[in-house]
């Protein structure tokens, strides 16, 4: 029987499965059923992982780019061949729909193959030398795509990795670690830890403080990201943060309203809105609001109906319930959604589109990270830009229009790391740098910038002998 089917999910240290005496339960968010127990790392386990990673790094960075490339291609093939197994883990642990899980896994395979294909483009040109930066990667609750992104880029650049997997989906993280192990990744190059929630602060600080850790990356909430950044600052460690979002979608008066509505609904409610790039704020010009409102409501009904959808945990549903109830109590109206259909015990709730959101409502500024979108009316392009930028976040945005000059002006005016024209806000691909402005974080995944995040630059000079 493989480790993945055991009743206790193990840590992975130095390519060995480690079951600990201290464990915590993992449940299915859709049914509330307990799935299994998961091993919980102690501070001694952290020491073992960092020691293993440090020793492995000294050897791994010496592998040629071609050898690293072959291994990453093999890992991508294994990801593809274990598709059904991985889909089952993600749907069971996170409540994801099969359609989303398939799309995410397909993107994961493509991303890894793309990273592998670019390994040989990491160049050293004298007198500047790029050296691996030895990374520890801290991940809270990400599916395969985000975890793999956090593993593949630093490995490609010659780093060893410590992955701190989410306590909500440990089997997913164990499985992706097992795939790299199966591909032939040397012992210690990828170590994976889990821990109980109450141990988060001590385990995290122990990891960040360790001299073997050269960089920390995190994808998650702005609150947790700020705590990690503050801890890293005490130890003078660089961080790469992709944090929260409150993505705006601007619908101009010359937009294709049917297309815009489809992209708004999909961008807002894909994976139950649990994507940092989700479309949370729909901004529409007044001259088309009546037509667009009708199309948007019909599209939401066609795609999601009145059924509830599953979030990753009851706490997430309770948070969303609070945001919706507060907004309605302060004067907002529901275009889509019934607050009485929310079922926290089953981690389930319907999708919501709310109008007339007052600035006093918590939802006006707070990222919901759930199936909630707001609809707001503006008059001019300038009003739309002002409202889009009225947020502490700046991860992504979208504009729908048929006029090249208008979308270019708006795209250059929105304060975010990415703006997508006539497409939804959820968009991330290997060849493009991906990251945020303001409190959505700093640093970039993807593109040349993504590789450079995991490299150190050393300048070497020399003096010719006197003749």
């Amino acid at each position: 029987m493989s480790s993945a089917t055991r009743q206790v999910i193990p840590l992975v240290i130095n390519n060995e499965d480690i079951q600990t005496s201290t464990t915590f339960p993992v449940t299915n968010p859709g049914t509330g059923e307990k799935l299994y127990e998961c091993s919980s790392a102690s501070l001694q386990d952290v020491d073992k992982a960092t020691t293993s990673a440090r020793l492995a790094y000294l050897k791994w960075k010496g592998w040629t780019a071609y050898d690293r490339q072959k291994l990453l291609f093999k890992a991508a093939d294994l990801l593809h061949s274990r598709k059904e197994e991985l889909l089952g883990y993600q749907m069971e642990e996170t409540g994801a729909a099969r359609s989303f899980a398939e799309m995410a896994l397909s993107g994961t395979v493509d991303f890894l193959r793309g990273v592998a294909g670019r390994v040989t483009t990491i160049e050293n040109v004298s007198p500047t030398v790029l050296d691996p930066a030895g990374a520890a990667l801290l991940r809270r609750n990400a599916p395969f795509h985000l975890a793999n992104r956090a593993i593949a880029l630093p490995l490609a650049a010659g780093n060893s990795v410590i992955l701190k997997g989410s306590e909500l989906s440990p089997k997913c993280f164990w499985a992706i670690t097992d795939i790299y192990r199966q591909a032939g990744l040397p012992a210690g190059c990828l170590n994976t830890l889990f821990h109980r929630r109450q141990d988060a602060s001590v385990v995290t600080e122990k990891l960040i403080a360790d001299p073997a850790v050269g960089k920390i990356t995190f994808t998650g909430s702005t609150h947790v990201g700020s705590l990690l950044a503050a801890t890293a600052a005490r130890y003078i460690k660089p961080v790469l943060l992709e944090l929260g979002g409150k993505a705006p979608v601007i619908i101009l008066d010359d937009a294709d309203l049917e297309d815009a509505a489809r992209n708004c609904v999909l961008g807002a409610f894909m994976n139950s809105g649990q994507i940092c790039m989700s479309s949370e704020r729909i901004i529409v010009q007044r001259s088309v609001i009546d037509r667009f409102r009708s199309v948007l409501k019909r599209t939401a009904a066609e795609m999601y109906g009145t059924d509830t959808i599953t979030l990753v945990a009851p706490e997430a549903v309770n948070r969303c319930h609070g945001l919706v109830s507060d907004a309605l109590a302060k004067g907002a109206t529901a275009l889509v959604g019934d607050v009485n259909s929310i079922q926290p015990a089953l981690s389930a709730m319907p999708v919501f589109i709310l109008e007339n959101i007052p600035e006093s409502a918590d939802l006006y500024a707070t990222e919901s990270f759930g199936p909630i979108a707001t609809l707001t009316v503006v008059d001019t392009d300038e009003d739309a830009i002002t409202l889009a930028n009225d947020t502490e976040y700046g991860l992504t945005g979208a504009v729908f229009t048929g006029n090249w000059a208008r979308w270019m002006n708006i795209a250059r005016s929105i304060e975010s790391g990415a703006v997508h024209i006539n497409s939804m806000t959820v968009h991330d691909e290997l060849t493009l740098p991906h990251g945020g402005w303001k409190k959505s974080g700093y640093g970039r995944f993807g593109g040349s910038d993504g590789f450079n995040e995991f490299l150190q630059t050393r300048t070497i000079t020399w003096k010719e002998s006197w003749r």
Side-chain angles (χ1 to χ4, degrees):
M1 181 180 294
S2 72
S3 296
T5 60
R6 296 172 184 166
Q7 293 304 305
V8 179
I9 304 301
L11 315 177
V12 182
I13 300 176
N14 208 42
N15 270 4
E16 295 181 2
D17 287 346
I18 306 295
Q19 289 193 14
T20 62
S21 57
T22 302
T23 63
F24 58 87
V26 181
T27 60
N28 181 316
T31 65
E33 171 194 5
K34 177 182 171 180
L35 298 171
Y36 32 71
E37 293 283 322
C38 181
S39 296
S40 182
S42 65
L43 297 185
Q44 290 73 28
D45 292 320
V46 174
D47 282 334
K48 292 176 183 177
T50 55
T51 298
S52 173
R54 176 177 56 81
L55 295 175
Y57 164 64
L58 297 175
K59 296 179 180 180
W60 175 247
K61 71 174 183 176
W63 277 42
T64 68
Y66 295 103
D67 288 336
R68 292 199 302 273
Q69 183 180 65
K70 290 176 184 176
L71 188 144
L72 293 175
F73 273 128
K74 185 174 181 180
D77 291 341
L78 288 167
L79 270 170
H80 179 72
S81 68
R82 292 173 63 173
K83 172 184 174 180
E84 290 303 318
E85 172 196 351
L86 300 179
L87 290 177
Y89 296 163
Q90 184 173 348
M91 291 186 290
E92 183 179 57
E93 290 189 325
T94 71
R98 183 180 176 92
S99 58
F100 176 78
E102 284 187 323
M103 182 187 72
L105 186 59
S106 175
T108 301
V109 174
D110 290 345
F111 183 89
L112 184 50
R113 286 175 175 157
V115 169
R118 299 185 65 175
V119 170
T120 55
T121 67
I122 302 174
E123 299 178 354
N124 288 319
V125 181
S126 183
T128 299
V129 179
L130 298 176
D131 277 350
L137 309 183
L138 311 181
R139 317 295 292 182
R140 290 296 292 168
N141 61 346
F144 291 114
H145 175 66
L146 295 182
N148 189 64
R149 182 180 69 179
I151 296 168
L153 287 169
L155 283 181
N159 298 278
S160 57
V161 175
I162 299 172
L163 181 70
K164 190 164 78 73
S166 169
E167 73 279 5
L168 300 176
S169 51
K171 190 180 284 188
C172 290
F173 291 92
W174 175 89
I176 200 165
T177 305
D178 186 56
I179 282 169
Y180 279 94
R181 177 169 55 184
Q182 187 180 355
L185 187 67
C189 288
L190 174 58
N191 298 286
T192 297
L193 304 176
F194 311 105
H195 58 70
R196 300 175 301 177
R197 288 189 179 187
Q198 60 264 40
D199 297 332
S201 61
V202 293
V203 169
T204 299
E205 177 141 6
K206 179 75 170 175
L207 273 170
I208 293 175
D210 194 289
V213 173
K215 188 160 190 172
I216 301 95
T217 109
F218 175 73
T219 296
S221 72
T222 294
H223 172 68
V224 174
S226 67
L227 296 176
L228 288 173
T231 302
R234 294 205 306 273
Y235 298 99
I236 320 298
K237 301 286 182 75
V239 294
L240 169 56
L241 303 173
E242 183 193 344
L243 305 178
K246 193 75 175 169
V249 183
I250 296 175
I251 315 297
L252 298 184
D253 52 17
D254 60 350
D256 180 331
L257 300 186
E258 293 280 350
D259 182 57
R262 282 192 301 273
N263 279 277
C264 283
V265 171
L266 188 58
F269 306 136
M270 179 190 298
N271 198 36
S272 303
Q274 298 170 120
I275 303 174
C276 52
M277 297 176 284
S278 290
S279 306
E280 294 225 357
R281 298 179 296 147
I282 305 170
I283 302 167
V284 186
Q285 288 193 316
R286 192 176 304 278
S287 61
V288 294
I289 183 59
D290 290 338
R291 284 188 291 145
F292 183 76
R293 181 188 290 113
S294 176
V295 173
L296 183 65
K297 185 174 182 178
R298 168 173 51 79
T299 302
E302 290 172 351
M303 296 180 69
Y304 289 92
T306 58
D307 295 338
T308 58
I309 54 179
T310 301
L311 276 68
V312 74
E315 295 85 352
V317 178
N318 285 327
R319 184 189 66 251
C320 290
H321 187 188
L323 290 171
V324 170
S325 298
D326 174 74
L328 293 174
K330 292 176 179 176
T333 56
L335 177 67
V336 173
D338 178 6
V339 72
N340 295 317
S341 299
I342 295 178
Q343 304 174 48
L346 295 178
S347 301
M349 64 178 290
V351 302
F352 280 89
I353 301 176
L354 303 183
E355 295 187 273
N356 306 310
I357 302 293
E359 292 187 25
S360 60
D362 293 339
L363 183 60
Y364 183 87
T366 303
E367 179 190 25
S368 73
F369 206 68
I372 307 171
T374 62
L375 180 63
T376 307
V377 182
V378 295
D379 290 307
T380 67
D381 292 15
E382 290 70 27
D383 293 338
I385 293 169
T386 298
L387 184 57
N389 290 335
D390 187 23
T391 175
E392 64 183 8
Y393 298 108
L395 184 58
T396 184
V399 181
F400 285 83
T401 176
N403 186 297
W404 185 93
R406 293 177 80 185
W407 70 246
M408 178 59 74
N409 174 61
I410 293 176
R412 296 181 67 176
S413 301
I414 293 179
E415 298 165 351
S416 70
V419 180
H420 306 291
I421 311 303
N422 295 329
S423 182
M424 64 180 173
T425 57
V426 181
H427 189 107
D428 179 12
E429 58 184 271
L430 171 68
T431 57
L432 301 176
H434 175 72
W437 291 14
K438 301 191 284 190
K439 289 190 177 181
S440 287
Y442 44 78
R444 292 293 183 270
F445 292 99
S448 299
D449 292 344
F451 284 103
N452 290 338
E453 290 284 352
F454 299 100
L455 295 166
Q456 294 276 28
T457 300
R458 176 190 294 122
T459 299
I460 301 173
T461 70
W462 66 92
K463 182 179 179 180
E464 294 185 7
S465 299
W466 178 260
R467 295 180 182 178

